[in-house]
Amino acid sequence: MASTIRVRATSSGETTEVQALIQHPMDSGFIKDSKGELIPPHFIQQLTFEYNGKPVFVADWGGGVSKDPYVKFAFKGGKKGDELKVSWVDNKGATDTTTAKIQ
Amino acid sequence: MRITTLTSIAALLLGATSALAAGEDDYKAAVAAAEAANKQAASLRNQWTTTASTLAAAKKFADGGDFDKATASAKEAEALAKASIFQATSEKERWRDLEIR
Amino acid sequence: MKLRSATQFTAAAFALAVLAFAAPPAVSADKVDPVADEKAFKKFFYDKFPKLKPEDFVNGPYSMDADLYKQWQDKEQFPPYEFSLELGKEMFSKPFKNGKTYGDCFPNQGIGIRQDYPTFDEKEGKVITLELALNRCREANGEPAFSYVRDEMAALTAYMAFTSRGKPFNIKVPNDPRALAAYENGKEYFYTRRGQLNFSCATCHVQSPGERVRTEVLAPALGIVNAMPIYRSEWNGMGTTSRRFTTCNSQIRGVPLTPQDDEYRNVEYYLSYVSNGLPISGPGARP
Amino acid sequence: MTRTDNGFSATRRLILQGAGAVALVGLGNLPFAPAFAAANDKYPEEAFKQKTEADAIKSLYGKTAEASDKVKMDAPEIAENGAVVPVSVSTTLADVTSISFLVAENPVALVASYKIPAGTMPNVANRIKMAKTSNVIVVVEAGGKLYSATKEVKVTVGGCGG
């Protein structure tokens, strides 16, 4: 099973730019299905990026983040070849983790 | 063809009043006519979604025993089907009017 | 009830409108001339949008509106079709139960060939689209066909389009009466008004590209198939060419044909042919 | 109002006001446990339940924000589709610790809240849903104070509708 997380981390020497796309329905709990029934909320609540064992970015999300969510940020440091650990947990307790090499 | 379409359209514009006190037989005849017209539309590859939904509404009225409304809906469905037939037939030539050339 | 009387009115008004116009004679059918059609088709769009370069047309509404273009650029940084593309790549390389692969069904193992489809099969005398060829490949290898409108087909065609990005459409209409008839039938389908709303494909995609219908900026017909399949935000997911055709039909209150019926294959043939020379840009992202 | 939740959110506010407070509260229960990491670990459940942006900001930060032209938001005039609206923010403010995105007219105003540890740039881009035309508000916490930028984004196809 392929990871739900896609990460692109590129170092410019001084900073590392990180983009991530995650496969997740991000159901807000306010949308009705074709039968007119509310689809229960199902969304990622927290997404964490760690470099060298320290978080460099933490996202707290609600159901208002788009399906297959995307985020971009940058941090100082980060060397080519180093690993960035990315993990998320959703409101149902499901999780996924991946590591990406900084390019 | 054009004359029949016009007639049914005229009936439509007058609304359901012509279908006063319709019975089950009237309804069945109206549905049969609508279905036949819709079948012809299908053979011309040009059915309208509203024909089907109006027919479905007619059947629902009939199931509830309201044959006035059921008959009126069936006649409306027939008019829609006939309009779609007319559209398909006239477009056989008219489509070229839009063509980029 | 309110809705239904509106329907009645529309139907009646429509029929009367058509009657009023029924008199003028239609232009007589000329001989089928795809080369002249392609030239006229491109000229129409190039004249209508003089600021656009030919290759801009394959990006649809994004080339017509600066605000949309910016949003698209933002999205393309990590495009929403990414997951479909990866799934397609995985599916494409995974052998069937008999050990063969999709690649075995296509020239060049299926890589970089999207621009050659649809193609005219002289043996069968019919147009073969990429979606149809993929399902035939599956069936020839003992696998059940995929739905033409669902995610698996979108993923496979996304991958095949991706490996062909930038390659110009290279559709051939051989000098075979059956091929010319299929092409002409596709053209007729494109321009024929249908559905209760009395729209043809051309109503939106020739007469009004760049304008908004309700909320959407309409894509120009030129280059529209180059971007297939597409991730549509409106669909919250991927859609194949088949999905695009069938939903276009139902949006104008016409009952869609069955995906890959002759008319759909032919209209894709026509639209692809008149976009010859413009690059494949699929998979695309659209509002 | 008698539920212990209140105590927790009060605690959370304290934590979020500065990394220094965290050690005192003693939430350092993670293996790597740098002070701010513990704070980062808390998901602001209550803030994501608030209907209005003011209540969400209060729940999240325990204070109010003032508009600042140092907070630059990039968002479309008209969203191509309310389901996917790209919005990004950058700021020249120093000591940024948190950036949050809110949509006033959404059923839940708070969309996303990002914690920015020292060394991470105060620039974030993401894609959000909008139910209808609304003000989008970005709040930046810098040096313990809140600054905001607001922009109206028109939505013609809602991301929360049918």
Side-chain angles (χ1 to χ4, degrees), chain A residues 2-8 19-23 67-68 70 72, chain C residues 74 76-84 86 90 231 235-237:
Chain A
S3 171
T4 58
I5 308 171
R6 301 286 178 281
V7 191
R8 276 185 215 145
Q19 287 176 288
L21 189 75
I22 298 160
Q23 198 165 27
K67 183 195 168 198
D68 294 344
Y70 164 84
K72 176 165 101 169
Chain C
D74 285 346
E76 283 290 312
Q77 294 204 6
F78 224 135
Y81 49 73
E82 182 93 5
F83 292 107
S84 176
E86 278 190 35
E90 206 178 296
Y231 184 102
W235 295 338
N236 239 319

Side-chain angles (χ1 to χ4, degrees), chain A residues 15 21 26 28 30-31 43 45-46 53 55-66 70-76, chain D residues 32 40-44 48 83-84 107 111-117 119-121 123-129 159-160:
Chain A
T15 61
L21 189 75
M26 297 302 283
S28 65
F30 296 101
I31 295 182
F43 54 85
Q45 290 190 319
Q46 201 163 56
V56 287
F57 193 70
V58 179
D60 288 331
W61 281 346
V65 172
S66 298
Y70 164 84
V71 71
K72 176 165 101 169
F73 70 96
F75 64 96
K76 286 183 190 136
Chain D
F32 45 87
N40 287 341
D41 194 49
K42 286 300 258 183
Y43 178 72
F48 280 107
V84 189
V111 172
S113 182
Y114 300 95
K115 285 148 196 165
I116 312 291
T120 294
M121 325 291 274
N123 310 329
V124 179
N126 61 181
R127 299 172 189 158
I128 66 176
K129 288 183 228 172
C160 297

Side-chain angles (χ1 to χ4, degrees), chain C residues 93-154:
Chain C
S93 50
K94 196 178 153 204
F96 303 122
K97 283 186 216 84
N98 67 4
K100 297 221 165 133
T101 65
Y102 289 106
D104 297 334
C105 298
F106 292 95
N108 197 37
Q109 285 290 306
I111 303 302
I113 58 158
R114 159 73 185 104
Q115 69 284 357
D116 297 329
Y117 286 81
T119 170
F120 184 77
D121 183 332
E122 308 217 354
K123 242 192 284 168
E124 201 177 321
K126 287 202 175 202
V127 170
I128 310 296
T129 64
L130 188 62
E131 292 172 18
L132 186 67
L134 278 163
N135 260 347
R136 287 192 173 175
C137 175
R138 290 183 59 78
E139 286 171 330
N141 287 289
E143 306 280 336
F146 284 137
S147 160
Y148 284 109
V149 294
R150 301 196 73 87
D151 290 348
E152 292 91 348
M153 186 56 82

Side-chain angles (χ1 to χ4, degrees), chain D residues 7 10 17 20 26 47 93 125 157:
Chain D
Q17 281 180 11
L93 292 162
V157 183

